[in-house]
Amino acid sequence: MSTAEAGAASSPRSAPGLLQILWLASPALPVGGFSYSEGLEAAVDAGLVSDEASAAQWLIDQLHLGLARADLAVVAQAIPAWRADDLARIQALNAWVLQTRETAEFRLQTEQMGRSMLEWARCLGELGAGVFERLQSARLDPASYPVAMACAAASADASVRDSLIGFAFGWAENMVQAAIKSVPLGQSAGQRMLARLAREIPAAVAHAMALKDSERQAFTPLLAIHSARHETQYSRLFRS
């Protein structure tokens, strides 16, 4: 992590910046995150996830082995790149995300959510702090979700660390809801799972922020297998 990134990570919180990150982390953000289970639904169908304990462990493993080493690491690097207007760096990070999606469903998810982030920023107009214009000027074809989200986070007066915590918690909320619907589980079980994930997120964020380009990776074979199986699963609630 560079000196600039370290400074951004430790900068004091501001109320507007914190509110912006809470806004971006909200499941109400119209980017469609609620419609994906990221292979979890296929794991339920295969019997690998069948109750609260197995669902929580699946998501904790995905957080540390998948999200922290890939998307969170990209967001950590993309936020300072957006703030520095380093378009070459942004384009390289975006290309990495698109090239390392392990299944067609994962690729379609990041593209759809990236487009939705662009549309969200466009609809905000002048309230969007120039996010739409910056995404357009970067000429990302298409914009991946982590890079588009990093653009929105970069406009907030918030540290990189706080932005990553918000990104990870938003992911956790969506995935817990997917587990509640697909296992199925009750709301109390969902809250216990979310509490467990919340305890794991700081370590995942620290890991992501420490990764260099050569250490970033997208390699989750079991998750990829179930994502691929989900494409032809007979009965589905989710798009992945």
Side-chain angles (χ1 to χ4, degrees), residues 122-174:
R122 186 190 67 81
C123 290
L124 286 177
E126 64 180 17
L127 297 175
V131 172
F132 176 73
E133 291 76 13
R134 297 181 77 185
L135 282 169
Q136 286 284 80
S137 68
R139 298 182 181 179
L140 305 175
D141 188 25
S144 67
Y145 177 61
V147 173
M149 177 61 83
C151 182
S155 69
D157 182 19
S159 70
V160 173
R161 181 178 183 273
D162 285 352
S163 299
L164 293 184
I165 287 173
F167 183 96
F169 190 77
W171 170 85
E173 283 198 290
N174 281 322

Side-chain angles (χ1 to χ4, degrees), residues 100-235:
T100 57
R101 298 295 92 165
E102 294 183 287
T103 66
E105 283 193 349
F106 285 157
R107 171 73 181 246
L108 290 171
Q109 177 181 349
T110 200
E111 290 182 0
Q112 179 271 304
M113 293 179 69
R115 286 194 302 271
S116 295
M117 279 296 301
L118 187 67
E119 181 62 19
W120 168 81
R122 186 190 67 81
C123 290
L124 286 177
E126 64 180 17
L127 297 175
V131 172
F132 176 73
E133 291 76 13
R134 297 181 77 185
L135 282 169
Q136 286 284 80
S137 68
R139 298 182 181 179
L140 305 175
D141 188 25
S144 67
Y145 177 61
V147 173
M149 177 61 83
C151 182
S155 69
D157 182 19
S159 70
V160 173
R161 181 178 183 273
D162 285 352
S163 299
L164 293 184
I165 287 173
F167 183 96
F169 190 77
W171 170 85
E173 283 198 290
N174 281 322
M175 293 304 297
V176 165
Q177 286 302 312
I180 287 172
K181 294 173 184 176
S182 58
V183 173
L185 298 168
Q187 292 295 331
S188 295
Q191 287 299 301
R192 289 190 294 269
M193 290 170 59
L194 195 58
R196 290 187 62 185
L197 282 164
R199 288 201 298 265
E200 300 287 337
I201 284 173
V205 166
H207 182 195
M209 293 182 68
L211 291 177
K212 302 175 183 177
D213 280 5
S214 60
E215 298 169 325
R216 196 174 60 238
Q217 60 179 290
F219 183 67
T220 49
L222 184 62
L223 188 63
I225 288 169
H226 284 85
S227 174
R229 288 176 175 172
H230 187 268
E231 295 176 16
T232 57
Q233 189 171 318
Y234 172 68
S235 178

